[in-house]
Amino acid sequence: MTVSPVDVVIFAPLAPLFGVLLFWFIQLVFIESQKYLLSKIWDRHKPLCRFTNFLGILYQTICHALGYTLTKSGISNFYVSINYGKVAPKKEKKGMFEWMSNSFLFIGPFFIPAVFLLICFFLIKGSGVDIAQSIEHTFAEGMINFGTNLYAFSESLFGFLANIDLLHPAHLGFLMLLIFLGMGIRPSYIGEEKRRKVNMLYDLQNIKVHILHKPLYVLILFLMAYILSYISVLLKTNWYTMLFSIFGWLSIIAIVALFITHLIILLIKTTDEFPRYWRHLPYLTIFLSYILMRIVFYFFPIDHLRTVSLFVMVLSTIVVVFLLLKYKTNKFKTVTKMKQLRVEDGPKRSIRK
């Protein structure tokens, strides 16, 4: 197959970049969905929502501080509260250094908190990920390599989560960090006072203004990416695609964390509809069902006992929630009663006519 020089020089470097932007957009959609769910439980769970606000501002402030550190501006003041975060540099730098610091502020929270989770994942798992070795530098091959690297990482991550040992301190700690990441990976928090509409479009608007403020710097970054791509071609390596694959891995970790926190918030929202004491039953089911299965499998070992224990825990929790919805709320009764009234009122209305 003949490779077009135009494809190698112009289009091939764009393939992994487009892949990262796609996963970043998916991450943004999950963030917006989480903000919506949190707004639904704000009145009844204000401390939890305020805590997620604190986590979001903490991540954002740390990213800004990291930007000042890497640009050697120094940090003279670091302040974080539930509603506000601020970092003051020792030296006010302009130009490229200021733009880089603000890039860490606006874009950093999407990726930097996930770096810590990625490092912890590899340390706990104890092995790496198989990397695509093809070095044919075309747009199509770049997308294939990027997708292969993301698939290999996703398979490794999901395999670990499906076989996670909640009685192992390191595994349990990783899960808790994953939840904390999902609860706070929001560059803009939902806020207690609705002074302005803070959503995905607001975040994108900040990023757009930041980029258009210094378009020359963005052009320089694009040129650097192209140069790295050309170096990879000359050295016959896959460094360029691997670099963007890491950004894709970070997005996958963030999306998984957001998905898990979605399930937690939905469980909280659902249990709020139960009577006072019954709303604690699903949470007890999570704990007791898992412990019970691990005790059973301790005396009667089977293959994949961790996965089976997790499956039983999730399934039993879902069953308990649906049973409580049916017998401890009026939703099903109300729907049934409305249908009966419609059937009974139908003939009367026809007679009246």
Side-chain angles (χ1 to χ4, degrees):
M1 180 179 179
T2 304
V3 178
S4 171
V6 177
D7 191 357
V8 176
V9 175
I10 298 178
F11 296 108
L14 296 176
L17 177 60
F18 286 167
V20 171
L21 290 177
L22 173 62
F23 277 86
W24 187 26
F25 178 78
I26 296 174
Q27 183 178 336
L28 279 169
V29 173
F30 269 87
I31 289 173
E32 184 65 16
S33 175
Q34 190 198 64
K35 291 179 184 178
Y36 174 78
L37 289 177
L38 284 172
S39 67
K40 293 299 181 180
I41 65 171
W42 178 270
D43 293 333
R44 302 192 67 171
H45 299 277
K46 189 173 292 187
L48 174 63
C49 295
R50 286 164 61 89
F51 178 69
T52 63
N53 283 348
F54 171 76
L55 288 177
I57 295 174
L58 177 64
Y59 296 157
Q60 192 170 5
T61 309
I62 290 176
C63 290
H64 203 188
L66 181 61
Y68 282 135
T69 302
L70 294 178
T71 56
K72 295 184 178 180
S73 300
I75 300 173
S76 64
N77 186 24
F78 185 97
Y79 174 79
V80 178
S81 69
I82 294 177
N83 298 311
Y84 185 67
K86 182 180 180 181
V87 181
K90 287 184 179 179
K91 300 177 182 179
E92 290 285 349
K93 292 190 176 182
K94 303 295 182 181
M96 185 69 175
F97 293 106
E98 181 186 16
W99 189 83
M100 287 180 60
S101 299
N102 291 331
S103 296
F104 275 85
L105 172 63
F106 293 120
I107 303 177
F110 290 103
F111 299 104
I112 293 177
V115 172
F116 179 69
L117 265 295
L118 181 64
I119 296 173
C120 291
F121 171 67
F122 284 127
L123 290 176
I124 295 173
K125 190 172 181 295
S127 60
V129 178
D130 294 332
I131 305 300
Q133 298 298 325
S134 175
I135 55 175
E136 184 179 344
H137 295 275
T138 63
F139 183 87
E141 194 66 24
M143 290 298 291
I144 292 173
N145 291 341
F146 179 79
T148 302
N149 291 338
L150 262 62
Y151 175 79
F153 176 76
S154 300
E155 186 179 32
S156 179
L157 177 62
F158 294 148
F160 172 77
L161 292 177
N163 197 40
I164 194 170
D165 185 1
L166 297 183
L167 300 182
H168 192 290
H171 289 202
L172 181 60
F174 178 82
L175 180 61
M176 297 305 297
L177 289 175
L178 197 65
I179 294 173
F180 285 149
L181 174 69
M183 286 292 186
I185 190 167
R186 301 193 309 277
S188 296
Y189 59 98
I190 56 178
E192 292 186 64
E193 299 180 6
K194 296 183 179 179
R195 298 178 181 177
R196 60 181 176 224
K197 190 174 182 180
V198 179
N199 53 19
M200 183 175 68
L201 296 178
Y202 175 78
D203 293 330
L204 292 176
Q205 182 66 24
N206 282 337
I207 296 171
K208 175 186 174 183
V209 172
H210 174 65
I211 291 175
L212 295 181
H213 179 61
K214 297 289 184 180
L216 177 61
Y217 299 152
V218 180
L219 179 61
I220 293 174
L221 291 178
F222 266 102
L223 291 177
M224 291 176 62
Y226 270 80
I227 291 172
L228 178 60
S229 175
Y230 300 151
I231 293 175
S232 298
V233 173
L234 294 175
L235 297 180
K236 296 182 179 180
T237 63
N238 206 23
W239 294 345
Y240 180 75
T241 304
M242 187 58 222
L243 174 63
F244 283 94
S245 296
I246 293 175
F247 282 101
W249 295 355
L250 298 177
S251 282
I252 289 175
I253 288 180
I255 291 170
V256 171
L258 288 165
F259 177 76
I260 293 175
T261 53
H262 267 69
L263 297 180
I264 294 174
I265 297 172
L266 284 173
L267 179 62
I268 294 173
K269 183 176 181 295
T270 304
T271 54
D272 283 344
E273 301 176 5
F274 302 152
R276 183 176 179 181
Y277 296 105
W278 289 101
R279 68 183 58 171
H280 302 295
L281 184 59
Y283 304 103
L284 291 175
T285 303
I286 294 174
F287 175 77
L288 294 177
S289 61
Y290 185 81
I291 296 297
L292 178 62
M293 296 309 299
R294 291 302 299 268
I295 293 175
V296 171
F297 292 144
Y298 178 79
F299 293 102
F300 305 97
I302 64 170
D303 294 333
H304 310 292
L305 62 91
R306 298 174 185 174
T307 304
V308 175
S309 300
L310 288 173
F311 177 77
V312 172
M313 180 188 72
V314 173
L315 182 61
S316 59
T317 304
I318 293 175
V319 171
V320 168
V321 168
F322 273 97
L323 289 176
L324 290 175
L325 281 173
K326 184 175 182 179
Y327 295 107
K328 294 300 178 180
T329 64
N330 295 322
K331 281 192 170 183
F332 289 92
K333 297 177 182 179
T334 302
V335 172
T336 305
K337 188 174 181 181
M338 290 179 64
K339 290 181 179 179
Q340 292 176 352
L341 289 174
R342 289 175 184 174
V343 173
E344 294 174 358
D345 291 345
K348 294 180 182 180
R349 291 179 181 176
S350 60
I351 292 173
R352 290 173 183 173
K353 289 181 180 179

